[in-house]
Amino acid sequence: GVWRTFTAWCNSHLRKAGTQIENIEEDFRDGLKLMLLLEVISGERLAKPERGKMRVHKISNVNKALDFIASKGVKLVSIGAEEIVDGNAKMTLGMIWTIILRFAIQDISVEETSAKEGLLLWCQRKTAPYKNVNIQNFHISWKDGLGFCALIHRHRPELIDYGKLRKDDPMTNLNTAFDVAEKYLDIPKMLDAEDIVGTARPDEKAIMTYVSSFYHAFSGAQKAETAANRICKVLAVNQENEQLMEDYEKLASDLLEWIRRTIPWLENRMPENTMQAMQQKLEDFRDYRRLHKPPKVQEKCQLEINFNTLQTKLRLSNRPAFMPSEGKMVSDINNAWGNLEGAEKGYEEWLLNEIRRLERLDHLAEKFRQKAAIHEAWTEGKEDMLQKRDYETASLSEIKALLKKHEAFESDLAAHQDRVEQIAAIAQELNELDYYDSPSVNARCQRICDQWDALGALTQKRSEALQRTEKLLETIDQLYLEFAKRAAPFNNWMEGAMEDLQDTFIVHTIEEIQGLSTAHEQFKATLPEADKERQAILGIHNEIAKIVQTYHVNMAGTNPYTTINPQEINAKWDKVRQLVPQRDQALIEEHARQQNNERLRRQFANQANVIGPWIQNKMEEIGRISIEMHGTLEDQLTHLRQYEKSIVNYKPKIDQLEGDHQLIQEALIFDNKHTNYTMEHIRVGWEQLLTTIARTINEIENQILTRDAKGISQEQLNEFRASFNHFDRKRTGIMDAEDFKTCLISMGYNLGENEFSRIMSIVDPNRMGIVTFQAFIDFMSRETADTDTADQVMASFKVLAGDKNYILADELRRELPPDQADYCIARMAPYTGPDGVPGALDYMSFSTALYGESDL
């Protein structure tokens, strides 16, 4: 990148001397083009060059160039002529950069800064208006190309359409800038767009070199611009002052002309006849104050400001003070303005007084119109209403309502008297004030007064008609009320009687049905009295019919106090008379049914009262046999079997009772006061009795088995029973865990919690929390009797085996019965000890297995 830049920069100067370089390392080696470059840049002559081709000539020429650079105050650190002549690339580039810095950049001066900082500040100043350009350095700030474009656009806006450039298209931006600079600004392409975009941080020296070319291209234009600006500035001051003077004269003339036109309008005080016309004048005045005058106030103020500003500017730029033309001084304008405000002040007051005067008239006329309209609206339809003959078809309650309504109307009429008088008074006042529309007001007032008199006469006439009708209807109403008062209770009585006579009944006893029959007989006794009342009620109705015929009253509607009519009363009366014999029949049938039910109850109760106690006694006797232990266990067993037989023989009585119970249920009889036993009680008792006798026989049989197996004497068994009964505190035939624990302690057991749990697991394997007598005997007999244990059985087998640790099948067959020998052989495992022989069987594990985990 920097090669290309430096080469292009050198050529931009060398072309002025009609030459150029191709290769920066090679073309400066003889020192000739180097000296030429310095002469072009500096505009000075260097010492005459050596024309020889030898190395020494070249070194001499390069040294002349380096001396010239040094003479310009540049320290050439470690740059020697030999390296340049030898084509040392790094040295050559360093030397060119030194030349660029000294001749292209060092003399740049912007405000207080110079050289590199000056160039950076110049770039920042020039690109400041461009929002998407932010120049902070000479590398990455230029990557997007917008900085170059902005510099060109700032000085030559016609060359680039800056608005179309996009920040995200740097290649286009860079190439645009480079092409335009080359074509129009005579700045050769020193940079490669692809290099800049493709490098993270473009070469600072290359960018500075290129940007300095822009500075030099544009700074020449700037000097001319500055000179032109100074001339323009001076001319502008003069032109501006002249413009301000012209503006003042024009503004003053316009303002004075407007005041001259406006004053006569404000001084005209001819009143108008109508409120609208006066209000239009007020509206115009309001527009003048709100819309037309404020801008003029602004203009007056602006005029004074402009005058003061102009005088100050003239004074500051050493010009003579401004004198306005005759009659347009600031004081002249202030006087004219004062006259305008004087005229204006009286005008608004006059307008308001005129409007107030017209307003009073308008107000009175409006008040008249309003009150007249309200009154006319109120009287609308009133004459028709007063001439209605609605009372001829009204009921009494409607007549009373019409009278109330008419009274209310009379009050209303009286209340409106005031308004009629007010209307007349306002009409009078409008006449006196000579209101322009008086004739129409007077005509309307007369109409209202005439109508008022007519309404009064009609009101009186209607009042009399209503009162006359009321009296006639009141008589009928009394009779209606009398009819209603007597018909309602009589009707209720009939409806109640019909309901009672048809009422379905459920009775469960003879007493209940007898109660119903008695009540029915009492009801039948009241019927003659009821018939008298019925005829009296019908008599009232006939009386009403006579009055209606005699006075030709138009009966609107029916009796208001009741919906009951004579036809209805007669129809219900007939129905009651028809229902009485039907009820008699139903009561007789029910009485017979109840007598039959009572017979069924007694039949069931007589048997149940015998069977229930019999079952109870049998249960108690069985309990006593098993607890009291009279005689041997065999005696008890015999005794119990006899009981069992007598119980089984009792079954037909239970079956017979079941039959009676079925009849009771089919008759829907739900209670029986003759017995406390239900069929369910008897069934449960019977089932318990059968279960108990069977269980008790089984227990005695088990006790006999236990006694024989353990060799327990009858006395020991009796002692166990006595102990068990003693500790069975609830006398239930079983001990709970607490009873059993107490029993064990009394027998001298030393019980810890674990020991007791172990014993309980033996006597109560199902974890019921109880100990039966059978379990108790098992436990006690294990504790006392000399029973076989696994060790004893093992010892016995050892004897049969001739003291060996195993036994042979032949030995078992020789010593034991065949089926028991087979039983052992089938279940014994082969013996696995070291002393075994073929066919040896393990009798030890067999003996242990016989007792299993239940062995103590």
Side-chain angles (χ1 to χ4, degrees):
V2 79
W3 287 95
R4 174 183 176 147
T5 306
F6 284 5
T7 307
W9 183 83
C10 292
N11 285 337
S12 74
H13 293 289
L14 286 172
R15 70 186 172 184
K16 293 172 190 166
T19 185
Q20 63 176 32
I21 58 168
E22 297 299 328
N23 183 330
I24 204 158
E25 293 172 57
E26 295 296 323
D27 295 2
F28 286 136
R29 283 174 64 178
D30 60 4
L32 291 172
K33 282 190 179 172
L34 183 59
M35 291 174 75
L36 188 58
L37 175 68
L38 287 168
E39 283 186 346
V40 173
I41 293 168
S42 66
E44 296 176 32
R45 300 294 296 171
L46 267 71
K48 203 163 187 250
E50 306 265 351
R51 287 295 173 192
K53 296 273 188 235
M54 294 169 67
R55 178 178 166 81
V56 67
H57 296 137
K58 293 177 182 178
I59 288 171
S60 167
N61 287 341
V62 172
N63 267 325
K64 284 174 184 166
L66 294 178
D67 290 347
F68 178 75
I69 294 168
S71 75
K72 295 296 178 189
V74 178
K75 286 194 178 69
L76 291 163
V77 183
S78 71
I79 295 178
E82 286 84 351
E83 283 93 342
I84 302 293
V85 172
D86 293 344
N88 179 322
K90 196 174 173 191
M91 283 294 179
T92 309
L93 281 179
M95 177 186 69
I96 298 298
W97 175 238
T98 304
I99 293 169
I100 293 170
L101 272 179
R102 172 60 190 82
F103 294 101
I105 293 170
Q106 188 178 311
D107 293 339
I108 291 172
S109 172
V110 177
E111 293 177 16
E112 302 301 313
T113 55
S114 57
K116 179 182 174 181
E117 282 72 24
L119 184 59
L120 184 63
L121 184 62
W122 178 78
C123 295
Q124 289 169 339
R125 286 277 180 277
K126 294 296 176 188
T127 60
Y130 300 85
K131 285 208 170 38
N132 49 5
V133 177
N134 180 14
I135 305 297
Q136 296 298 333
N137 50 50
F138 284 111
H139 38 84
I140 59 174
S141 291
W142 301 84
K143 273 190 71 150
D144 60 13
L146 290 175
F148 298 117
C149 294
L151 281 179
I152 297 170
H153 185 263
R154 179 71 192 272
H155 294 91
R156 298 283 301 279
E158 77 283 359
L159 298 182
I160 286 183
D161 184 353
Y162 190 83
K164 282 201 177 142
L165 301 177
R166 294 206 330 275
K167 198 172 182 71
D168 58 6
D169 187 5
M171 287 297 290
T172 304
N173 301 342
L174 289 163
N175 284 322
T176 301
F178 298 164
D179 294 346
V180 169
E182 186 172 48
K183 190 170 175 189
Y184 298 105
L185 305 176
D186 202 24
I187 298 170
K189 281 190 188 172
M190 300 186 189
L191 301 171
D192 180 6
E194 279 183 24
D195 274 2
I196 291 175
V197 172
T199 315
R201 179 186 162 118
D203 188 284
E204 188 173 41
K205 291 173 183 167
I207 302 268
M208 272 176 75
T209 305
Y210 188 50
V211 171
S212 71
S213 305
F214 280 95
Y215 174 81
H216 291 297
F218 291 135
S219 65
Q222 219 156 338
K223 285 182 188 125
E225 206 178 302
T226 308
N229 282 352
R230 177 167 288 121
I231 295 165
C232 290
K233 214 170 177 182
V234 172
L235 293 176
V237 169
N238 264 27
Q239 283 171 319
E240 193 187 353
N241 289 345
E242 284 171 20
Q243 188 59 49
L244 282 173
M245 291 175 195
E246 272 179 50
D247 288 353
Y248 177 87
E249 289 282 334
K250 168 118 180 60
L251 208 53
S253 300
D254 289 355
L255 190 57
L256 287 167
E257 173 57 24
W258 179 79
I259 292 169
R260 190 187 59 68
R261 274 202 324 275
T262 306
I263 287 176
W265 173 69
L266 290 171
E267 286 174 339
N268 171 23
R269 303 288 159 94
M270 276 295 290
E272 300 287 342
N273 283 334
T274 66
M275 186 78 165
Q276 283 89 334
M278 284 312 284
Q279 271 169 334
Q280 186 54 54
K281 280 198 169 197
L282 187 60
E283 186 72 28
D284 294 345
F285 180 69
R286 243 200 324 276
D287 282 352
Y288 156 77
R289 281 302 279 114
R290 275 169 48 205
L291 305 176
H292 309 315
K293 190 179 174 191
K296 299 301 176 188
V297 175
Q298 279 301 113
E299 281 174 31
K300 178 175 173 291
C301 178
Q302 195 58 48
L303 197 67
E304 289 168 16
I305 290 168
N306 289 3
F307 183 78
N308 294 339
T309 306
L310 176 59
Q311 298 294 33
T312 306
K313 284 188 172 177
L314 289 170
R315 196 164 61 252
L316 290 176
S317 56
N318 298 322
R319 311 286 202 287
F322 166 58
M323 266 306 285
S325 53
E326 185 65 36
K328 291 183 193 166
M329 297 290 286
V330 172
S331 58
D332 295 331
I333 288 160
N334 281 338
N335 289 338
W337 192 262
N339 296 340
L340 174 79
E341 295 206 317
E344 181 187 304
K345 190 179 176 191
Y347 188 69
E348 189 172 20
E349 210 175 314
W350 169 76
L351 274 179
L352 293 173
N353 284 334
E354 256 324 289
I355 286 171
R356 243 179 245 118
R357 189 180 69 80
L358 285 174
E359 187 183 33
R360 172 70 185 148
L361 268 176
D362 272 7
H363 168 69
L364 278 173
E366 182 53 34
K367 197 168 174 181
F368 175 83
R369 276 193 293 278
Q370 256 185 350
K371 284 192 182 293
I374 290 168
H375 182 77
E376 285 159 356
W378 180 82
T379 57
E380 178 85 38
K382 293 284 188 286
E383 291 182 59
D384 290 346
M385 183 267 287
L386 290 170
Q387 287 167 313
K388 263 193 199 162
R389 302 177 71 85
D390 47 0
Y391 51 81
E392 291 180 350
T393 58
S395 65
L396 178 61
S397 60
E398 287 164 349
I399 284 288
K400 287 192 182 299
L402 288 174
L403 269 164
K404 285 262 184 300
K405 199 170 165 189
H406 191 66
E407 280 168 30
F409 174 74
E410 286 177 324
S411 305
D412 202 9
L413 193 69
H416 282 268
Q417 178 69 37
D418 255 8
R419 193 189 294 116
V420 177
E421 287 168 11
Q422 285 172 3
I423 289 168
I426 295 167
Q428 182 60 29
E429 194 177 349
L430 283 170
N431 280 323
E432 286 164 9
L433 288 173
D434 199 17
Y435 178 55
Y436 75 93
D437 199 13
S438 278
S440 74
V441 169
N442 293 340
R444 194 171 182 183
C445 183
Q446 190 58 49
R447 272 200 309 280
I448 287 170
C449 293
D450 292 348
Q451 189 192 26
W452 187 249
D453 296 340
L455 284 177
L458 286 171
T459 301
Q460 181 58 33
K461 195 173 165 194
R462 180 170 173 81
S463 185
E464 288 162 6
L466 286 171
Q467 285 165 355
R468 195 170 53 249
T469 310
E470 183 191 23
K471 287 212 171 37
L472 197 52
L473 288 182
E474 264 173 352
T475 311
I476 294 173
D477 188 65
Q478 275 313 111
L479 291 168
Y480 268 154
L481 187 56
E482 181 68 19
F483 177 88
K485 275 184 182 166
R486 289 173 73 172
F490 185 68
N491 185 56
N492 287 345
W493 176 85
M494 286 193 297
E495 283 179 350
M498 287 194 294
E499 189 180 339
D500 292 345
L501 290 168
Q502 291 174 95
D503 194 15
T504 56
F505 48 79
I506 295 182
V507 290
H508 299 101
T509 65
I510 297 275
E511 292 77 19
E512 285 174 19
I513 192 66
Q514 281 168 343
L516 287 174
S517 299
T518 309
H520 184 57
E521 289 308 318
Q522 286 168 349
F523 168 73
K524 287 201 282 190
T526 64
L527 289 174
E529 195 55 45
D531 195 28
K532 262 190 224 163
E533 177 63 9
R534 179 180 68 90
Q535 286 166 353
I537 291 167
L538 297 177
I540 297 169
H541 191 266
N542 295 338
E543 205 175 328
I544 293 169
K546 271 187 205 142
I547 294 172
V548 171
Q549 268 181 330
T550 311
Y551 294 100
H552 305 292
V553 181
N554 188 342
M555 288 299 295
T558 52
N559 190 332
Y561 302 111
T562 181
T563 53
I564 304 163
N565 57 43
Q567 292 82 348
E568 203 180 325
I569 290 173
N570 285 333
K572 285 183 184 172
W573 177 253
D574 293 344
K575 178 74 173 164
V576 169
R577 303 223 350 237
Q578 179 193 337
L579 288 170
V580 170
Q582 290 173 10
R583 181 70 164 186
D584 290 339
Q585 186 56 35
L587 289 170
I588 290 163
E589 285 167 11
E590 182 58 32
H591 196 272
R593 198 170 72 82
Q594 285 305 325
Q595 279 176 320
N596 188 44
N597 285 359
E598 187 61 17
R599 187 179 56 71
L600 289 174
R601 283 195 190 96
R602 287 181 189 281
Q603 194 174 312
F604 177 85
N606 291 340
Q607 291 179 78
N609 288 341
V610 172
I611 293 171
W614 183 87
I615 291 173
Q616 193 65 37
N617 288 340
K618 286 284 174 261
M619 287 289 282
E620 286 167 9
E621 284 168 17
I622 293 164
R624 275 203 298 281
I625 291 168
S626 65
I627 289 171
E628 287 166 5
M629 297 195 62
H630 292 304
T632 65
L633 290 173
E634 280 79 3
D635 295 344
Q636 288 174 41
L637 197 58
T638 308
H639 203 161
L640 285 167
R641 290 205 195 283
Q642 287 167 357
Y643 258 84
E644 188 176 29
K645 199 170 180 188
S646 73
I647 288 165
V648 171
N649 291 341
Y650 203 76
K651 178 77 165 66
K653 287 202 165 75
I654 303 289
D655 295 342
Q656 189 186 344
L657 191 65
E658 281 283 8
D660 289 349
H661 179 251
Q662 185 178 343
L663 292 175
I664 278 183
Q665 283 194 325
E666 285 165 356
L668 297 179
I669 300 167
F670 300 115
D671 55 348
N672 191 342
K673 67 180 178 188
H674 304 303
T675 180
N676 290 327
Y677 292 101
T678 65
M679 192 65 225
E680 192 53 32
H681 282 138
I682 300 285
R683 284 173 189 151
V684 170
W686 177 250
E687 285 159 7
Q688 276 180 338
L689 183 60
L690 293 177
T691 309
T692 305
I693 188 72
R695 195 184 291 132
T696 309
I697 288 170
N698 177 251
E699 280 175 13
I700 299 293
E701 286 171 344
N702 281 343
Q703 285 169 32
I704 290 170
L705 279 176
T706 306
R707 183 193 67 192
D708 294 353
K710 309 275 179 155
I712 303 168
S713 70
Q714 185 65 43
E715 286 72 27
Q716 276 178 304
L717 207 52
N718 289 353
E719 269 174 46
F720 291 159
R721 173 50 86 178
S723 289
F724 187 88
N725 288 355
H726 175 71
F727 287 102
D728 170 16
R729 295 188 194 149
K730 299 189 186 68
R731 294 280 170 271
T732 54
I734 50 175
M735 273 195 244
D736 61 23
E738 277 307 306
D739 292 342
F740 183 50
K741 194 172 191 178
T742 314
C743 176
L744 290 177
I745 291 166
S746 76
M747 285 157 56
Y749 275 85
N750 185 7
L751 285 180
E753 200 56 48
N754 290 348
E755 177 63 9
F756 181 61
S757 296
R758 185 185 69 78
I759 292 172
M760 274 307 281
S761 72
I762 296 161
V763 297
D764 178 24
N766 298 329
R767 305 209 193 291
M768 308 276 284
I770 58 167
V771 182
T772 62
F773 182 56
Q774 183 62 45
F776 181 70
I777 295 173
D778 286 350
F779 174 72
M780 293 305 292
S781 60
R782 275 191 187 189
E783 294 293 300
T784 56
D786 177 18
T787 48
D788 296 328
T789 65
D791 291 345
Q792 288 167 335
V793 173
M794 222 179 282
S796 302
F797 273 121
K798 198 166 184 141
V799 171
L800 296 188
D803 224 17
K804 301 190 294 295
N805 288 332
Y806 58 84
I807 197 162
L808 299 170
D810 291 347
E811 290 170 334
L812 286 166
R813 287 205 179 88
R814 192 169 62 233
E815 300 294 345
L816 296 175
D819 59 339
Q820 294 191 329
D822 290 342
Y823 179 87
C824 294
I825 292 161
R827 283 168 176 71
M828 279 185 188
Y831 178 68
T832 56
D835 52 346
V837 298
L841 298 169
D842 184 347
Y843 62 76
M844 290 186 186
S845 59
F846 174 73
S847 302
T848 310
L850 281 176
Y851 285 85
E853 291 181 352
S854 68
D855 184 43
L856 278 168

